[in-house]
Amino acid sequence: MVESNRVLVVDDEPRQLEILRTILKREGYEVDAATTTEGAVTQLRDAPASVILTDLKLPGRDGIDLLEEAARLAPESCVIIMTAHGTIDTAVEAMKKGAFDYLTKPLVRDTVVLAVRRAMEKTRLLSENSDLKKQLVDRFSLANVIGDHGKMQEVFRMVMKVAPSASTVVIYGESGTGKELIARAIHYNSPRASRPFHAINCAAIPEPLLESELFGHEKGSFTGAIARKIGLFEQASGSTLLLDEVGDLGLALQGKLLRALQEKEIRRVGSTASIPVDVRILAATNKNLTRLMQEGRFREDLYYRLNVLTIFLPPLRERTTDIPRLVDHFIARHAALAGKALRGIDRQALSVLMAFSWPGNVRQLESAIERAVLLAEGPAVALADLPQEIHEDGADGDVALEIPDTGMSFEALEKALLQQALRKGGNVSRAARLLGMTRRTFQYRAEKFRLSRAAQGDPQLLSEWSGADSEEPPAPPAPDGAPRAPDRERVKV
Ligand SMILES: Nc1ncnc2c1ncn2[C@@H]1O[C@H](COP(=O)(O)OP(=O)(O)OP(=O)(O)O)[C@@H](O)[C@H]1O
Ligand SMILES: [Mg+2]
């Protein structure tokens, strides 16, 4: 970063140089001086300046040469050119070559001070901006995505393989496994990294609104469209757009999305004009798209168009060896936010965390830690600081859930786990605890499978549902062993 307070003044007239030095020092700047372009370049190599105030006419290489050197040596600095009357054309040329401002001689004190102040401000904003960008890039660089487990290492290798291209990538994973984090890592490792990353949750927005969110609309195209709206495809042109929960997209919009992907152009709602867009699409889903496609709820052509490259994020319970590092990472993050000095976690608490099944994956682990950090009274996070459902899970002693083998769709897996928990726990509260969820969440999820009466504790239904020959047995694995796509579909870069 450029030092914020340094001005380099370049003039071959010693008297002029001295006057400028005095004026600027009085304004509180650190001032360096040079009488030639060569001298200025040497100084810039030693210590970058935020503002360079240079005479246009210098012996040997002139102010324009210095402007070019400064663009290379100190790209964030602003150059102000001083010219004599009658050399305005050259001043214009200097502006075209990127000078920030020019001043005509004889110089007026206030004009000089004002120009330098404005240039300083500009440099400060520029460097703040590039710091922010760097922070963003760092935050989403793979270095901050934790995963020593082989399955995560495989994910990271895929991220680095797919990042450079503009191809569509589908990221599969249960809720909370880090799909959005991985999408951002792809973007920030791609040639589009300097543009902002865009994301939209397709499950959270009703279809008509979603269409105008994605493609925009013209004023008056429907009741309430009081102004033109530029949609995400246009905003994200040149950048990346994550379509989160893409499995929830309705069939009509799926058709429009396919068209946008194939034609690389969109139409705003209420307009017939096609607008070219260059968007890299990433899609995330916790649903099994193969299954949705077989059920006719996801267009086959869109499925194949999206599924060019795929990344599968493992659930946390399949990589429990990553839990200690994740815990440290989240303790450090949340202790810093809360302004607490915590020395990690004690052994007992950590072993409970490692034994837990984490149905909500990394997101659930992070919120458990966030809460524990706030509650912790000792020097380290202890068992008592963990949410009840997690440490009571240990108290359920011998009751442990068996995780059905993979190859099941996420929905089937979820249902199988709910059933198993209910069977082993014997009642809703205990079942919920076994899964590390609240009673309400358990009921909500069970309801999803039209099992509300069982979830409310109807004993007859309870046994019916939790029995082996239930009316709705856990769905068998999809014929192709979905959601994992066959290898040939996986990477083609
Ligand atoms: N490997 C990881 N290392 C560090 N933090 C992680 C990791 N995976 C996930 N997280 C954190 O966990 C939280 C959830 O991650 P993210 O939002 O990416 O998950 P998701 O799969 O998109 O979840 P959902 O399905 O609920 O939308 C975020 O705060 C994220 O920073
Ligand atoms: Mg998400």
Side-chain angles (χ1 to χ4, degrees):
M1 200 181 99
V2 173
E3 265 186 59
S4 60
N5 209 23
R6 191 184 295 269
V7 186
L8 174 61
V9 187
V10 191
D11 202 312
D12 57 336
E13 277 179 52
R15 227 182 76 81
Q16 184 81 47
L17 208 54
E18 210 36 56
I19 294 172
L20 285 170
R21 190 205 284 270
T22 312
I23 293 175
L24 294 173
K25 275 202 159 161
R26 214 173 278 156
E27 292 295 312
Y29 299 116
E30 267 181 68
V31 186
D32 283 325
T35 52
T36 60
T37 292
E38 283 75 18
V41 167
T42 312
Q43 298 234 21
L44 281 179
R45 285 214 179 93
D46 287 349
S50 294
V51 177
I52 301 164
L53 182 60
T54 178
D55 198 9
L56 180 65
K57 272 188 70 184
L58 291 168
R61 304 175 65 198
D62 65 7
I64 301 280
D65 290 332
L66 177 54
L67 184 62
E68 282 161 3
E69 291 279 0
R72 269 194 319 113
L73 287 171
E76 279 166 14
S77 60
C78 285
V79 179
I80 302 172
I81 300 270
M82 300 179 284
T83 61
H85 259 316
T87 51
I88 290 296
D89 285 351
T90 337
V92 171
E93 188 198 337
M95 296 296 282
K96 279 192 188 146
K97 289 203 162 155
F100 173 73
D101 203 352
Y102 71 90
L103 302 169
T104 39
K105 287 182 173 178
L107 298 172
V108 179
R109 186 189 165 283
D110 288 353
T111 324
V112 174
V113 170
L114 188 66
V116 171
R117 193 180 299 151
R118 284 183 45 225
M120 276 289 172
E121 180 67 3
K122 166 100 186 283
T123 310
R124 196 180 57 74
L125 288 176
L126 275 178
S127 84
E128 251 179 36
N129 199 341
S130 81
D131 277 2
L132 279 177
K133 271 193 187 147
K134 190 166 169 304
Q135 272 176 26
L136 261 183
V137 171
D138 283 354
R139 169 123 203 248
F140 297 110
S141 80
L142 282 179
N144 283 317
V145 184
I146 289 167
D148 295 326
H149 191 282
K151 289 186 180 173
M152 287 304 283
Q153 292 293 315
E154 173 64 18
V155 166
F156 299 161
R157 272 193 293 278
M158 285 290 281
V159 167
M160 295 320 286
K161 266 196 216 168
V162 305
S165 80
S167 304
T168 306
V169 182
V170 185
I171 305 164
Y172 290 95
E174 288 177 22
S175 132
T177 43
K179 296 183 293 294
E180 181 157 351
L181 198 63
I182 289 298
R184 287 176 187 270
I186 294 174
H187 171 74
Y188 286 106
N189 283 290
S190 83
R192 297 169 180 246
S194 64
R195 303 286 187 91
F197 170 88
H198 296 264
I200 185 165
N201 184 341
C202 303
I205 304 172
E207 181 134 350
L209 266 182
L210 186 57
E211 177 171 5
S212 89
E213 284 297 319
L214 289 172
F215 305 120
H217 62 240
E218 293 296 340
K219 182 176 172 176
S221 52
F222 51 85
T223 330
I226 48 170
R228 165 185 287 172
K229 180 185 171 73
I230 303 295
L232 275 170
F233 266 83
E234 278 180 77
Q235 287 176 44
S237 198
S239 187
T240 310
L241 171 62
L242 168 66
L243 301 175
D244 208 350
E245 312 294 0
V246 75
D248 289 81
L249 212 56
L251 282 169
L253 260 185
Q254 288 176 24
K256 291 181 178 159
L257 174 62
L258 179 68
R259 184 178 172 278
L261 292 176
Q262 273 171 346
E263 315 291 325
K264 298 196 188 323
E265 53 184 38
I266 54 113
R267 275 188 215 145
R268 297 187 191 133
V269 177
S271 160
T272 50
S274 293
I275 300 167
V277 286
D278 161 31
V279 183
R280 184 197 199 163
I281 295 293
L282 303 177
T285 180
N286 61 8
K287 300 237 164 80
N288 178 346
L289 292 186
T290 320
R291 162 88 51 104
L292 291 183
M293 183 172 75
Q294 285 157 357
E295 289 168 354
R297 289 194 283 150
F298 204 84
R299 284 178 70 127
E300 201 173 327
D301 42 12
L302 179 60
Y303 173 82
Y304 289 112
R305 181 65 191 70
L306 284 177
N307 231 40
V308 182
L309 303 163
T310 49
I311 290 183
F312 296 90
L313 279 178
L316 188 55
R317 64 181 171 279
E318 283 177 16
R319 54 176 187 113
T320 48
T321 45
D322 281 341
I323 290 179
R325 264 195 70 204
L326 281 165
V327 168
D328 279 350
H329 175 76
F330 292 137
I331 290 182
R333 176 189 291 176
H334 292 288
L337 285 175
K340 275 187 153 177
L342 275 175
R343 179 177 55 68
I345 184 162
D346 73 24
R347 285 177 82 185
Q348 198 187 9
L350 183 61
S351 62
V352 165
L353 291 181
M354 287 189 68
F356 190 63
S357 58
W358 302 110
N361 295 296
V362 186
R363 183 192 298 290
Q364 188 187 11
L365 175 63
E366 177 166 10
S367 35
I369 297 294
E370 179 179 3
R371 179 179 177 280
V373 164
L374 291 176
L375 295 180
E377 284 171 358
V381 169
L383 195 56
D385 304 326
L386 299 178
Q388 219 180 14
E389 67 265 19
I390 291 168
H391 64 88
E392 276 188 0
D393 194 28
D396 284 317
D398 47 310
V399 187
L401 294 184
E402 290 146 33
I403 308 303
D405 226 344
T406 45
M408 264 184 179
S409 75
F410 296 128
E411 279 155 296
L413 180 70
E414 184 183 4
K415 187 175 167 193
L417 281 172
L418 290 173
Q419 285 177 314
Q420 201 190 125
L422 203 48
R423 197 162 54 232
K424 292 193 173 169
N427 62 44
V428 173
S429 301
R430 233 168 105 84
R433 264 211 316 276
L434 279 173
L435 285 168
M437 27 173 104
T438 61
R439 201 185 138 87
R440 258 182 72 180
T441 309
F442 185 94
Q443 279 172 328
Y444 166 77
R445 301 232 172 151
E447 195 144 7
K448 238 176 51 186
F449 296 107
R450 281 173 278 116
L451 299 158
S452 53
R453 277 169 61 209
Q456 279 155 16
D458 179 316
Q460 196 197 331
L461 262 171
L462 185 75
S463 61
E464 214 176 275
W465 185 52
S466 59
D469 51 356
S470 58
E471 180 195 327
E472 279 191 296
D480 61 350
R484 201 166 280 270
D487 273 341
R488 70 184 160 73
E489 272 176 31
R490 295 185 73 196
V491 187
K492 284 181 233 137
V493 199

